[in-house]
Amino acid sequence: MAFTAARPLIPPQDLKSFQEHLARSKRVLALLGAGLSASSGLPTFRGAGGLWRTHDAMQLATPEAFNRDPGLVWQFYSYRRHMALNAKPNPAHYALAELAKKNPEFITISQNVDGLSPRAGHPANQLKLLHGSLFDVKCSEFFCNYLETNNYTDPIVPALALPTDESDPTTNEAIKVRELDISDENVDLPEVSLRDLPRCPQCQRGLLRPGVVWFGEWLPRDVQRDIDRWTAQPENIDLIMVIGTSAKVYPAAGYVDSARNKGARVAVVNTDKNDAPQGGMYTNDWFFEGDAAVIVPELLKSEIGEIKPEDMRDGERTSV
């Protein structure tokens, strides 16, 4: 996929003032949302109208849905895992990863579960996954603490493989196999037996479940602790970049407020000019309207150099 801009997106004076401030900045925070991965071609399931087949995606992302129909929930998440693994990190993911490597006091809070930031080589100790990851799995039994990270097996069990359509060849060519898109309600959804879903290898009783934070669940305490400790340090925060998220809902909105209270200037990158943080925009803030995959590498180029196609190696994926 080519990541090109149809027109200049960044006013030169804003680019200059941002890069001058970035050069002076020591402690930098980034807050990432689904808009960061939009250029990687991932479907998003946000808002009341977010449907997967005929199901409200938000209703599938609950412990109650998993208890009621674990097969359906696993089909939804297996589909998302498959889509994420077939997407590639875009230049913005790589640019943020490079900035983290150059600045050990830069941390990133990501609301994304798609695994693209880790696959772009973002240092794990500087990447705080607020909502978990599609590629972590854990036991659903209350008293079992089994957790497996970076499970990129696709499908995670054979029963969750996407159905295929084998075309009827009219020549001597080999039969072409096409994966069917099970997000389309007109495509029959295969039945999945409970016994064929992934089981916990530790307790041997519980079903494994996706290691994401579902509605009604607590955010990861270790992640929150790390963020709170970093924010509470006596030194000022110089800059917070809010990329691909409106940051209107807590705790995301709270991180913007906390950074402001420590002296940070705010830089927003978003395709919707109305998606300002909950606290609004201040005089010295920046709003860069457009595609994060184009804008973020340009903003950071003065510190990290240019992100070239040959630099974009999907290290995590190729090691699987």
Side-chain angles (χ1 to χ4, degrees):
M1 179 183 294
F3 301 96
T4 57
R7 58 184 176 84
L9 295 173
I10 307 176
Q13 66 275 17
D14 291 345
L15 177 61
K16 182 175 183 290
S17 65
F18 174 85
Q19 290 182 336
E20 287 175 348
H21 184 72
L22 179 62
R24 298 190 298 267
S25 297
K26 184 178 181 182
R27 301 186 73 231
V28 179
L29 179 63
L31 179 63
L32 311 180
L36 174 67
S37 298
S39 287
S40 294
L42 284 183
T44 58
F45 303 96
R46 295 186 298 170
L51 295 179
W52 185 75
R53 297 178 66 86
T54 58
H55 304 281
D56 183 337
M58 296 175 67
Q59 295 300 317
L60 291 177
T62 66
E64 293 78 16
F66 187 77
N67 290 335
R68 182 171 58 251
D69 194 342
L72 176 64
V73 172
W74 255 121
Q75 284 175 309
F76 172 54
Y77 279 97
S78 183
Y79 168 81
R80 293 184 64 186
R81 283 166 60 97
H82 182 75
M83 296 296 292
L85 283 172
N86 281 280
K88 293 185 179 298
N90 65 54
H93 294 103
Y94 286 98
L96 291 164
E98 286 303 309
L99 185 62
K101 294 170 187 175
K102 290 182 177 294
N103 181 0
E105 296 198 58
F106 167 49
I107 72 162
T108 295
I109 303 170
S110 179
Q111 301 170 89
N112 298 336
V113 298
D114 53 38
L116 294 179
S117 289
R119 284 169 50 196
H122 203 116
N125 64 325
Q126 292 171 260
L127 179 63
K128 308 303 174 184
L129 299 177
L130 198 61
H131 295 159
S133 171
L134 290 171
F135 304 103
D136 295 346
V137 289
K138 61 183 181 179
C139 185
S140 60
E141 282 285 305
F142 183 79
F143 292 105
C144 183
N145 61 0
Y146 179 79
L147 171 66
E148 180 183 355
T149 60
N150 300 326
N151 180 318
Y152 293 102
T153 305
D154 181 34
I156 191 168
V157 291
L160 292 172
L162 292 179
T164 59
D165 171 33
E166 296 184 357
S167 60
D168 184 12
T170 57
T171 67
N172 292 328
E173 295 179 3
I175 293 176
K176 296 180 180 179
V177 177
R178 178 174 64 91
E179 289 179 342
L180 298 179
D181 182 5
I182 62 170
S183 69
D184 182 351
E185 63 182 281
N186 296 312
V187 173
D188 290 337
L189 196 62
E191 291 188 12
V192 178
S193 170
L194 191 65
R195 66 176 179 270
D196 293 328
L197 293 175
R199 288 274 173 184
C200 177
Q202 180 170 294
C203 72
Q204 303 291 325
R205 296 189 308 275
L207 289 175
L208 293 180
R209 51 156 284 185
V212 297
V213 178
W214 282 333
F215 292 101
E217 295 183 325
W218 294 101
L219 297 176
R221 293 181 180 178
D222 57 337
V223 171
Q224 289 185 293
R225 182 184 64 244
D226 289 347
I227 296 169
D228 290 343
R229 285 177 178 174
W230 188 90
T231 305
Q233 290 177 21
E235 296 85 4
N236 279 351
I237 299 173
D238 300 301
L239 172 68
I240 178 170
M241 295 180 286
V242 183
I243 304 170
T245 176
S246 64
K248 293 184 184 298
V249 179
Y250 286 86
Y255 295 134
V256 177
D257 294 339
S258 297
R260 280 200 191 280
N261 291 337
K262 298 296 292 287
R265 294 177 67 177
V266 177
V268 177
V269 179
N270 205 296
T271 56
D272 185 348
K273 63 183 179 182
N274 296 314
D275 259 351
Q278 178 67 29
M281 299 294 291
Y282 291 15
T283 302
N284 289 329
D285 294 341
W286 300 271
F287 195 107
F288 301 106
E289 183 183 356
D291 184 353
V294 176
I295 291 177
V296 172
E298 189 68 21
L299 293 178
L300 304 185
K301 186 163 66 174
S302 59
E303 294 296 312
I304 65 170
E306 185 175 357
I307 299 293
K308 301 177 182 178
E310 59 267 27
D311 298 327
M312 295 193 290
R313 304 290 187 220
D314 191 350
E316 287 294 327
R317 183 72 195 280
T318 55
S319 66
V320 176

